[in-house]
Amino acid sequence: PEVEVTGMMRREDAMYHTVLPGFPPTDDNLRAWIPRSGAVKQDAERAVPSVNQAMTKIDTHGGNGIFEATVSIDKRLQGDPWNVAASVLGGRSQAKVCTVVDDEIDIYDPQQVSWAFNTRVQPQRDIYLFPTMVGAPLDPSGPNRQSQQMAIDATVPLDEDHDGYCRQDDGLADCKRPRVYDITDEPLPRSDPGTVLREQLVETYFS
């Protein structure tokens, strides 16, 4: 869409407040975060259609809305994470690092992303360093508008048992563990005060 401005009005002695970049997160970083996250998702979908979530990291614990991209996918082939990372790092977002996780990981929860990295990544196998590529212009560590980049595959290998990587936490999905559910009219096991006996329930119906 195009917008044509025909005139502007202001009050007397008006003050114009512009967006001033600084140590993130600032207004400037937040303004860029949404479109750059959208660019990451579009670039990732060009490589793999089964993209679940995508964003660039920005919060009070780090991230400037540009350099760190995270993508969750439903991995169909072992090489999917590398295709996604290469597409994102070579795309329009100007990301410096791209981490790819399985789709049961909530990329908006830094704890879950960190847990996936800590439990699913072997550096020699799952981290790839790209040589100098076109990068963000405000990266002082590399040549002008250039940067080395890094891809991280924090997904479970397809030839390994996914259950071994599951976290016993209700906050995560069931790690794609296949289930067969039966409908039953039996009452739930309860203690005398009426509290559901969770361990007995899991053992009876889900083990």
Side-chain angles (χ1 to χ4, degrees):
E2 294 183 1
V3 177
E4 181 180 349
V5 178
T6 58
M8 296 180 65
M9 300 179 65
R10 65 174 179 84
R11 66 183 182 185
E12 236 179 281
D13 299 324
M15 296 179 64
Y16 174 68
H17 175 71
T18 187
V19 177
L20 300 176
F23 194 83
T26 65
D27 290 349
D28 182 42
N29 305 120
L30 292 171
R31 178 178 56 84
W33 173 64
I34 295 177
R36 288 189 185 275
S37 294
V40 168
K41 191 168 193 297
Q42 288 181 341
D43 290 334
E45 288 176 335
R46 289 188 180 96
V48 173
S50 54
V51 174
N52 183 30
Q53 297 175 318
M55 74 162 187
T56 54
K57 180 180 178 182
I58 181 169
D59 57 42
T60 55
H61 303 292
N64 64 353
I66 302 175
F67 287 169
E68 299 176 66
T70 308
V71 182
S72 67
I73 65 171
D74 178 13
K75 187 166 75 170
R76 312 288 179 85
L77 300 173
Q78 189 58 35
D80 280 350
W82 300 124
N83 288 338
V84 168
S87 182
V88 169
L89 295 174
R92 298 167 298 150
S93 68
Q94 300 180 332
K96 189 175 182 178
V97 179
C98 180
T99 302
V100 183
V101 298
D102 290 299
D103 60 358
E104 74 266 9
I105 302 297
D106 181 4
I107 66 173
Y108 297 99
D109 183 346
Q111 184 178 12
Q112 290 192 27
V113 176
S114 177
W115 173 78
F117 176 82
N118 290 330
T119 61
R120 302 181 181 190
V121 172
Q122 286 296 306
Q124 185 175 6
R125 180 192 68 189
D126 298 318
I127 295 179
Y128 184 82
L129 301 180
F130 289 85
T132 302
M133 304 166 63
V134 175
L138 296 180
D139 182 1
S141 65
N144 183 33
R145 297 190 65 87
Q146 297 180 77
S147 175
Q148 296 183 4
Q149 298 175 338
M150 180 168 63
I152 302 173
D153 178 2
T155 63
V156 176
L158 290 178
D159 59 353
E160 295 191 23
D161 181 13
H162 209 109
D163 280 2
Y165 291 85
C166 286
R167 184 174 115 185
Q168 300 300 321
D169 191 309
D170 290 338
L172 283 178
D174 204 22
C175 286
K176 303 178 185 175
R177 184 183 296 138
R179 295 291 192 189
V180 177
Y181 294 97
D182 294 324
I183 299 176
T184 177
D185 294 329
E186 297 180 20
L188 296 176
R190 296 179 182 272
S191 63
D192 289 339
T195 303
V196 174
L197 299 175
R198 179 181 175 84
E199 292 184 1
Q200 183 177 337
L201 178 67
V202 172
E203 182 179 353
T204 303
Y205 294 104
F206 297 98
S207 61

